[in-house]
Amino acid sequence: MRSRGQHVHLRSRHRAAFLPSGEEYLFATLMTVTAAPYIINTDESVLALGGFNGTDPILSVSELKKFIKEGKVKYFLLSSDNSGNSELVSWIKKNGTVISPDDYSSSSSSTSSSIQQGMIGGPGGSQNQQTLYET
């Protein structure tokens, strides 16, 4: 997992603010390719909203709103290459607040560098800049 700073930020906020209220997912993202490293390396629950390649309509916008209202998920990690589930992506971008990489960057130059450059992900390992949103 290349973005340890994102994980530390999410985990600390998740544990402090949401675990007592029953939040189920550390964050949601569109593709399992993005979710998998977090699940494997941290044993945290991550929701892949679009299945393997991000195009499966797993949830509608109204179902996503319900998940948020129920406290199941609050954070969303979106890639610059969001080709699927455009309604969900549009809703998250419109209603979410971008969390600045400065909020989860560490003083470690290698960690800060990997966060600022984005994580390698997606089919073929293409470089995709990722943005963290809070709803």
Side-chain angles (χ1 to χ4, degrees):
M1 182 171 59
R2 298 194 25 113
S3 185
R4 180 165 171 71
Q6 281 176 339
H7 175 257
V8 170
H9 175 79
L10 285 166
R11 190 172 197 178
S12 66
R13 290 181 86 165
H14 181 263
R15 296 262 181 246
F18 303 111
L19 203 55
S21 67
E23 184 145 327
E24 293 181 32
Y25 302 99
L26 181 64
F27 67 90
T29 189
L30 287 184
M31 298 185 296
T32 57
V33 173
T34 304
Y38 289 92
I39 295 167
I40 293 166
N41 293 319
T42 68
D43 200 32
E44 298 282 353
S45 296
V46 176
L47 178 61
L49 295 170
F52 180 75
N53 63 2
T55 59
D56 295 337
I58 292 171
L59 293 177
S60 66
V61 171
S62 62
E63 291 168 324
L64 179 63
K65 288 179 187 179
K66 184 177 177 186
F67 266 49
I68 294 167
K69 185 177 181 178
E70 292 173 349
K72 292 182 179 183
V73 66
K74 184 172 186 171
Y75 297 99
F76 297 87
L77 185 60
L78 300 180
S79 167
S80 60
D81 181 25
N82 291 312
S83 55
N85 285 306
S86 60
E87 288 182 26
L88 289 180
V89 171
S90 295
W91 188 88
I92 293 164
K93 287 181 175 183
K94 180 179 178 184
N95 295 282
T97 303
V98 173
I99 298 176
S100 170
D102 295 338
D103 290 347
Y104 50 82
S105 295
S106 72
S107 59
S108 164
S109 62
S110 64
T111 302
S112 296
S113 175
S114 68
I115 291 168
Q116 291 169 354
Q117 292 176 12
M119 296 183 346
I120 306 264
S126 62
Q127 181 75 24
N128 289 318
Q129 182 65 38
Q130 296 183 337
T131 304
L132 186 61
Y133 291 84
E134 179 177 358
T135 58

